């Protein structure tokens, strides 16, 4: 082997990169990165656009659940709120809640075929919820439309009521007396001839009532007012603040007998409220005034010192609200309470006489003989004895 060769490799010289070329390479790399970023952004935007255009029910990421919670339940909630407002007491703290209704007239006299329309004012005047609900107690005597136009149908007397749609416990009444075109008035009890025929009052009852009216006067003893031996407590005749007899024992035992006999017929009538002291009634009345105002409170709650409950002779049964009306228990009570010495104290259609709205749950003990005579006459306690019930 030839040893003269040094076996050294010859190195190729490295190609030098100029600064200009390095800069071009950097720019090219940066351009590629920018293009990649733009592509990513475009893809994200397209994805978002696709999701937005899809029907909500097709979104598999939970939009369907969101739609069910957001749309359907919200509609249900609104409907429920509207229904509740129509049948329950409105929020007294809401400035839109109606707290009072006044009329430009509280009685109208019409000939058959005639019409009249009372002017209604609701308070507060700033309320935007002034819807009205009009009702007639007897459409065979007079009808009323949804704006309060009363039309006379037949001779007789009935009551037209206007309630607040926003707060139905607030209402006002108009006494409507209808006479025939030839001037024939309603009968003395305020009924048409047809009504009288359907609910006859015997001549003996009428004579008894007339005798009571002419022979009995209100007497006063120790601040208590009596007529025919009956203690009177209404808007005209009050009770001393100190008068505190508790629930009358005879009234209580008679009510227990009434309740027991009703139970034999499968009915449940219980004592919900009996005796109330002056202070207790004051708390009740003041609370109603703070919510509804004095004018409205006076239509269904007695002022302290003027409540029958303070006599210990009045009893409220069962639910003490309008839901008691027309139940089997209320019908039985009206038909049978006089047998035990009680009367329905505030009958329907007699609001202008007793001073209070219809209360089928409120009974008053007067003794069996008097209760049967008053009930048979078809008159209220005030009418039977010729006394008033009006605050001075």
């Amino acid at each position: 082997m030839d040893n003269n060769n040094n076996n050294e490799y010859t190195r190729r010289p490295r190609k030098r990169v100029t600064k200009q070329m390095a800069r071009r390479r950097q720019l090219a790399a940066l351009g590629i990165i920018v293009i990649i970023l733009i592509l990513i952004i475009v893809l994200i935007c397209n994805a978002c656009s696709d999701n937005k255009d899809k029907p909500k029910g097709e979104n598999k990421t939970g939009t369907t659940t969101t739609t069910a919670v957001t749309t359907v339940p919200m509609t249900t909630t609104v409907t429920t709120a509207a229904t509740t407002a129509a049948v329950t007491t409105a929020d007294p703290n809401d400035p839109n809640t109606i707290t009072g209704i006044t009329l430009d007239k509280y009685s109208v006299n019409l000939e058959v075929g005639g019409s009249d329309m009372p002017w209604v004012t609701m308070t507060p005047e700033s309320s935007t919820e002034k819807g009205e609900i009009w009702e007639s107690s007897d459409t065979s005597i007079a009808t009323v439309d949804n704006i309060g136009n009363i039309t006379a149908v037949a001779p007789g007397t009935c009551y037209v009521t206007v309630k607040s749609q926003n707060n139905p416990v607030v209402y006002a009444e108009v006494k409507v007396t209808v006479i025939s075109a030839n001037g024939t008035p309603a009968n003395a009890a305020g009924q048409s001839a047809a009504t009288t025929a359907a609910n006859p009052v015997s001549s003996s009852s009428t004579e008894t009532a007339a005798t009571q009216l002419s022979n009995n006067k209100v007497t006063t003893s120790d601040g208590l007012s009596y007529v025919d031996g009956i203690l009177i407590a209404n808007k005209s005749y009050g009770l001393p603040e100190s008068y505190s007899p508790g629930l009358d024992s005879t009234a209580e035992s008679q009510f227990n007998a009434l309740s027991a006999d009703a139970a034999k017929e499968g009915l449940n009538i219980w004592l919900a409220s009996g005796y109330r002291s002056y202070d207790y009634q004051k708390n009740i009345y003041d609370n109603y005034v703070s919510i509804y105002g004095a004018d409205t409170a006076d239509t269904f709650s007695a002022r302290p010192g003027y409540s029958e409950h303070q006599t210990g002779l009045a009893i409220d049964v069962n639910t003490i609200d309008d839901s008691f009306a027309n139940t089997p228990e209320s019908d039985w009570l009206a038909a049978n309470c006089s047998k035990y010495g009680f009367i329905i104290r505030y009958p329907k259609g007699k609001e202008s006489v007793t001073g209070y709205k219809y209360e089928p749950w409120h009974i008053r003990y007067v003794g069996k003989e008097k209760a049967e005579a008053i009930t048979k006459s078809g008159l209220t306690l005030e009418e039977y004895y010729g006394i008033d019930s009006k605050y001075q």
Side-chain angles (χ1 to χ4, degrees):
M1 181 178 287
D2 191 354
N3 293 322
N4 292 327
N5 193 346
N6 293 328
N7 293 325
E8 292 183 0
Y9 294 99
T10 302
R11 295 181 178 178
R12 297 177 60 184
R14 295 181 63 181
K15 186 175 181 179
R16 294 178 65 86
V17 178
T18 65
K19 291 182 179 181
Q20 185 177 6
M21 181 175 292
R23 190 175 296 111
R24 288 176 180 174
R25 289 178 180 178
Q26 290 174 351
L27 290 174
L30 183 61
I32 292 171
I33 292 172
V34 170
I35 291 171
I36 292 172
L37 289 174
I38 292 173
L39 289 173
I40 292 172
I41 292 171
V42 170
L43 290 173
I44 292 173
C45 290
N46 287 337
C48 291
S49 176
D50 289 342
N51 285 336
K52 186 175 181 180
D53 293 338
K54 282 183 179 181
K56 291 185 177 181
E58 295 179 6
N59 192 333
K60 296 182 180 180
T61 62
T63 307
T64 302
T65 304
T66 303
T67 302
V69 172
T70 304
T71 304
V72 177
M74 279 183 68
T75 303
T76 304
T77 302
V78 172
T79 303
T80 303
T83 302
T84 303
V87 296
T88 64
T89 304
D91 181 3
N93 297 317
D94 186 341
N96 278 321
T97 296
I98 296 299
T99 57
I101 296 178
T102 57
L103 304 173
D104 67 333
K105 61 187 72 175
Y106 291 89
S107 65
V108 295
N109 298 309
L110 300 171
E111 289 187 353
V112 173
S115 63
D116 198 349
M117 185 167 67
W119 184 265
V120 179
T121 300
M122 292 188 176
T123 53
E125 293 184 2
S126 59
S127 173
T128 59
E129 304 290 339
K130 294 184 177 179
E132 302 168 2
I133 302 173
W134 289 88
E135 297 175 345
S136 171
S137 65
D138 191 339
T139 55
S140 68
I141 295 175
T143 60
V144 62
D145 61 21
N146 59 1
I147 61 172
N149 186 43
I150 301 169
T151 301
V153 177
T157 299
C158 68
Y159 291 83
V160 168
T161 304
V162 56
K163 298 179 181 178
S164 163
Q165 195 171 44
N166 163 263
N167 191 13
V169 297
V170 176
Y171 71 96
E173 287 185 331
V174 181
K175 181 179 181 180
V176 182
T177 302
V178 181
I179 61 174
S180 65
N182 61 11
T184 304
N187 63 64
Q191 298 172 312
S192 66
T195 306
T196 304
N199 301 282
V201 177
S202 69
S203 59
S204 60
S205 297
T206 305
E207 291 170 2
T208 301
T211 301
Q212 297 289 2
L213 291 172
S214 61
N215 293 342
N216 287 282
K217 294 182 179 181
V218 176
T219 59
T220 303
S221 175
D222 297 327
L224 303 176
S225 300
Y226 297 87
V227 60
D228 193 24
I230 297 174
L231 177 59
I232 301 298
N234 64 11
K235 292 184 176 183
S236 295
Y237 301 95
L239 303 166
E241 182 176 346
S242 60
Y243 187 66
S244 180
L247 183 60
D248 182 83
S249 59
T250 302
E252 183 178 19
S253 66
Q254 287 299 100
F255 178 78
N256 290 338
L258 178 155
S259 179
D261 287 346
K264 294 175 183 177
E265 299 185 31
L267 302 174
N268 187 14
I269 298 178
W270 69 90
L271 190 155
S273 180
Y275 167 75
R276 298 178 194 162
S277 68
Y278 179 98
D279 290 337
Y280 188 83
Q281 185 65 29
K282 185 177 186 303
N283 289 335
I284 293 175
Y285 178 78
D286 288 349
N287 181 58
Y288 283 134
V289 170
S290 69
I291 298 174
Y292 305 112
D295 288 344
T296 299
D298 282 341
T299 65
F300 62 86
S301 181
R303 297 177 186 179
Y306 295 87
S307 171
E308 277 203 329
H309 286 280
Q310 192 183 342
T311 68
L313 296 164
I315 292 175
D316 287 342
V317 307
N318 294 30
T319 56
I320 318 183
D321 58 39
D322 291 340
S323 66
F324 180 66
N326 300 318
T327 61
E329 282 79 6
S330 74
D331 292 343
W332 188 93
L333 188 69
N336 295 280
C337 70
S338 64
K339 301 174 184 177
Y340 305 87
F342 294 92
I343 59 172
I344 301 296
R345 185 64 178 87
Y346 306 122
K348 190 172 185 178
K350 298 290 186 176
E351 291 82 355
S352 64
V353 178
T354 64
Y356 296 103
K357 67 184 289 266
Y358 172 46
E359 294 188 359
W361 61 84
H362 183 113
I363 56 177
R364 162 67 197 269
Y365 184 76
V366 294
K368 183 177 178 181
E369 181 180 351
K370 293 170 184 174
E372 291 184 335
I374 293 170
T375 300
K376 191 175 181 180
S377 74
L379 303 175
T380 64
L381 189 67
E382 283 79 10
E383 291 171 318
Y384 192 83
Y385 288 112
I387 60 177
D388 291 328
S389 180
K390 297 177 181 178
Y391 289 130
Q392 299 300 315

